[in-house]
Amino acid sequence: MLSPKMSPGEEIISFLRNIFRKKGFPSKTFSSELRRCLSFADLLFLSYGAIVGGGIYFAMGPALHLAGPSVILSYVFAGTASTLSGLCYSELGTRIPIAGSSYQYAYTAIGELIGFLVGWNIVIGHAVGAASVAKGCSQYIDAMFGNPIKKYMQVHLPMSGGLVATYPDFVAGGIMAVITVFVAFGIKTSTIMNMIMTTGNALIFGFVMVSGIILGKTENIAGSESWGGFFPHGFTGCLAGAATLIYAFEGYEILATVSEEAMNPLRDIPLSIVASVGSVTVLYAFVSIALVSLLPWYEIPVTSTFTVIYAKVGWTWAKYVITVGVVATTVGCCISLLTSVPRYLYAMARDGLLMPFLLKISERTGAPITATVMGGMLGVLLAIIFTTEDLINLLSVGQLLACLSVAFALIKLRYSPVKVTAQSSGSTPFTSSERHEEEAAKEPSSPTSQTSLLEKKTGTPGTPKCQPAENEHRFIGWIRSFEPGSIPTALLLICIVFTAGALALFIFGHKWLESWWFITLAVVFVTIALASLLLLYAFVRDDNFPTFKLPLVPLLPYITILINLALLLSIEKDTWIRLSIWMGIGLIIYFSYGYRHSKLHKCLPKDDIPDNPDSSHSS
């Protein structure tokens, strides 16, 4: 609670600093209540289970009607964006190896409110992902028998449509409920089931590629000229398809989410992310070529895509083979995605941002049981009342925002002095230099423990590379008056804002490509964005940590931000409205509960405004 002695201006400043207070890095002495039981193979199959299948069975139809035959490139673009984002997750997942991934990264690098919104966004995103897969499975099974369930429900229990579906899908809800039970038995049980289902799914994809070789026609890939050729909706349609297909690669993020349960997170997290995303990108590209070659794109429906395709080419019996793959995909994806939802809820509750009943751990399985049940109930509700297409679009925008925040957090952390949290569960935290975390844990008041010998030689991260001189130029002296890392953060924000402006100009204003005002704005936006990026190279970067390091920073994470911004600008308006409603609910929860009960809020002095939010106590 703010002190009554504060002036209104001081109260506003204190409030802003509090909502952007940051966590420190966990020290080597951090202990977790979650059990470390996942090997590299477990992590790899967990990722495969979440990624493989849903992007073809359920997202192919919606993306195809946005991109046409160029959906093949859409898969490549989405895969490239996901691979780059996966590399960013790899670095942060090994530097911050605790449950919550994107949420933890944003909380550590950007601040509490942004971290909460990212975590809240991922909770709905993964629940939506699982619900969309269950929904798609229900539709495939129903279509295989002539849609009797759909016809009955639309007559006897219709819904309004629009923001919700035209009928409640209790089959999809039942699928979600059964899989929630599997996840509640513990992550190890879930991954064994996942391995079986993922292996079966790979065999189905082999069948699809063989059928494309036998029955496919190259003219279907090139596209009919009367229907717009390879790019029937232009290149922006291809980008819109890629934005939808981010859904297809969404599962890799779960690996960073379960890092507290990995046996060797420093090695296995980056390896499994890169291996799974890279190989699935190649697989999806080949499968999409096979499917597009079978029929003209405009004859392929949005839902039950495979059933219709094989019926039209005369292989009606193949729908039974495909349904086996759909069921395997549903089990694998739902297990993987529902595994991550409770771990986000658990991480946020552990930090005091959500209610403490979500912290209950099962003594038998070591899983967060209450959070698992709550996540499953959310997935059941979503599967019953929303359409597959709406769920896919909502998940895609949420995933893109999370990937953007992770890339931003990576750059910011590389150009900021690192604060370390030395704690065990429930203990009072304190901060110290990353290089001397163990010494600081023993002697927290020692002034020598706050400075690294390496920093003395290379400079503090986030400060100019040139060494201070007696007659230093006024410009450099002015820069040194700011907190280390604040100028690089400002440059990064300027770069992102003007990059977004340039992308919006090219995506929405390409009709005026030759106009003088278009050229002038484009040159100004691009110049400022590139200049801000290049100026980052003039500051000391923190590359001295023992875990996985993404090369070519800040260039590679900036490219990740660039691609994600381009895809976000291609998302439909209605999806942004649905996301805004969910985010509004999250903001109400944060300001009514999380802000007051946050562990960081409890650590702050009650009567003083902290000099620097980064230097406040961390949790």
Side-chain angles (χ1 to χ4, degrees), residues 65-278:
H65 281 260
L66 291 170
S70 67
V71 72
I72 298 167
L73 292 181
S74 297
Y75 274 108
V76 175
F77 292 154
T80 301
S82 298
T83 301
L84 290 172
S85 297
L87 289 170
C88 295
Y89 272 101
S90 296
E91 176 174 318
L92 295 181
T94 53
R95 291 189 75 185
I96 313 174
I98 53 180
S101 65
S102 306
Y103 156 71
Q104 299 287 1
Y105 312 154
Y107 202 162
T108 302
I110 306 171
E112 184 173 278
L113 177 60
I114 303 301
F116 176 88
L117 290 177
V118 168
W120 186 249
N121 188 31
I122 289 293
V123 165
I124 188 66
H126 285 197
V128 161
S132 66
V133 173
K135 189 88 170 183
C137 178
S138 170
Q139 290 174 339
Y140 266 98
I141 294 173
D142 196 26
M144 188 169 63
F145 298 103
N147 295 308
I149 298 175
K150 177 181 178 180
K151 293 173 183 176
Y152 180 87
M153 296 300 291
Q154 285 181 330
V155 172
H156 295 89
L157 202 61
M159 290 169 60
S160 62
L163 286 177
V164 295
T166 56
Y167 68 96
D169 193 339
F170 293 113
V171 175
I175 292 171
M176 285 293 299
V178 170
I179 295 194
T180 300
V181 174
F182 272 110
V183 175
F185 273 104
I187 193 168
K188 190 67 179 179
T189 303
S190 301
T191 52
I192 292 172
M193 177 66 71
N194 217 1
M195 288 182 184
I196 297 171
M197 295 302 175
T198 302
T199 302
N201 209 24
L203 296 175
I204 302 298
F205 278 171
F207 167 79
V208 172
M209 286 187 275
V210 170
S211 68
I213 294 172
I214 296 173
L215 302 173
K217 298 178 182 179
T218 55
E219 55 265 32
N220 290 333
I221 298 175
S224 169
E225 289 299 327
S226 60
W227 284 85
F230 188 71
F231 292 100
H233 303 299
F235 189 71
T236 54
C238 182
L239 283 179
T244 298
L245 290 174
I246 287 295
Y247 162 87
F249 297 90
E250 191 253 356
Y252 69 85
E253 195 266 349
I254 188 179
L255 298 181
T257 304
V258 299
S259 57
E260 276 190 56
E261 293 156 278
M263 293 178 180
N264 187 356
L266 301 187
R267 182 200 67 186
D268 293 346
I269 295 295
L271 279 179
S272 52
I273 287 178
V274 173
S276 59
V277 177

Side-chain angles (χ1 to χ4, degrees), residues 223-529:
S224 169
E225 289 299 327
S226 60
W227 284 85
F230 188 71
F231 292 100
H233 303 299
F235 189 71
T236 54
C238 182
L239 283 179
T244 298
L245 290 174
I246 287 295
Y247 162 87
F249 297 90
E250 191 253 356
Y252 69 85
E253 195 266 349
I254 188 179
L255 298 181
T257 304
V258 299
S259 57
E260 276 190 56
E261 293 156 278
M263 293 178 180
N264 187 356
L266 301 187
R267 182 200 67 186
D268 293 346
I269 295 295
L271 279 179
S272 52
I273 287 178
V274 173
S276 59
V277 177
S279 58
V280 169
T281 300
V282 175
L283 176 65
Y284 275 175
F286 280 110
V287 172
S288 63
I289 291 172
L291 285 173
V292 171
S293 70
L294 291 174
L295 279 178
W297 69 269
Y298 46 83
E299 293 184 17
I300 300 174
V302 173
T303 59
S304 305
T305 304
F306 280 71
T307 302
V308 174
I309 287 177
Y310 283 106
K312 288 191 174 183
V313 297
W315 284 22
T316 307
W317 55 270
K319 66 182 180 182
Y320 299 105
V321 178
I322 296 301
T323 301
V324 171
V326 169
V327 172
T329 293
T330 301
V331 174
C333 284
C334 286
I335 285 176
S336 294
L337 293 172
L338 283 183
T339 296
S340 69
V341 171
R343 281 148 185 85
Y344 272 99
L345 295 173
Y346 174 86
M348 295 169 76
R350 184 168 60 188
D351 291 329
L353 303 182
L354 292 177
M355 295 67 177
F357 70 84
L358 295 169
L359 292 173
K360 182 173 176 56
I361 300 288
S362 168
E363 293 181 3
R364 189 177 70 83
T365 64
I369 185 68
T370 307
T372 299
V373 173
M374 294 296 293
M377 290 173 61
L378 176 61
V380 168
L381 179 65
L382 292 169
I384 290 174
I385 66 174
F386 289 107
T387 67
T388 305
E389 191 173 0
D390 290 341
L391 291 171
I392 288 174
N393 288 334
L394 184 57
L395 184 149
S396 295
V397 68
Q399 182 66 12
L400 286 168
L401 287 171
C403 291
L404 192 151
S405 71
V406 167
F408 178 90
L410 188 149
I411 299 175
K412 189 175 185 301
L413 287 175
R414 286 288 196 101
Y415 287 95
S416 300
V418 174
K419 301 294 180 182
V420 176
T421 300
Q423 66 174 6
S424 59
S425 298
S427 64
T428 302
F430 61 89
T431 61
S432 70
S433 166
E434 181 185 27
R435 313 296 194 282
H436 286 246
E437 56 185 270
E438 292 181 0
E439 289 82 357
K442 297 176 183 177
E443 302 177 4
S445 61
S446 170
T448 58
S449 68
Q450 301 300 314
T451 306
S452 169
L453 293 175
L454 197 53
E455 284 183 2
K456 289 181 179 178
K457 295 179 180 179
T458 61
T460 303
T463 59
K465 287 182 178 178
C466 57
Q467 297 301 314
E470 191 173 325
N471 298 319
E472 187 173 55
H473 192 279
R474 288 182 180 178
F475 179 71
I476 299 297
W478 173 77
I479 289 179
R480 292 189 190 281
S481 66
F482 287 88
E483 289 287 332
S486 58
I487 296 296
T489 299
L491 288 171
L492 180 57
L493 288 171
I494 292 170
C495 179
I496 291 174
V497 169
F498 281 92
T499 297
L503 288 170
L505 195 63
F506 282 103
I507 291 174
F508 301 117
H510 60 274
K511 295 179 181 178
W512 299 278
L513 194 61
E514 297 180 0
S515 303
W516 68 268
W517 62 267
F518 182 98
I519 297 172
T520 302
L521 284 177
V523 170
V524 170
F525 286 173
V526 172
T527 301
I528 294 176

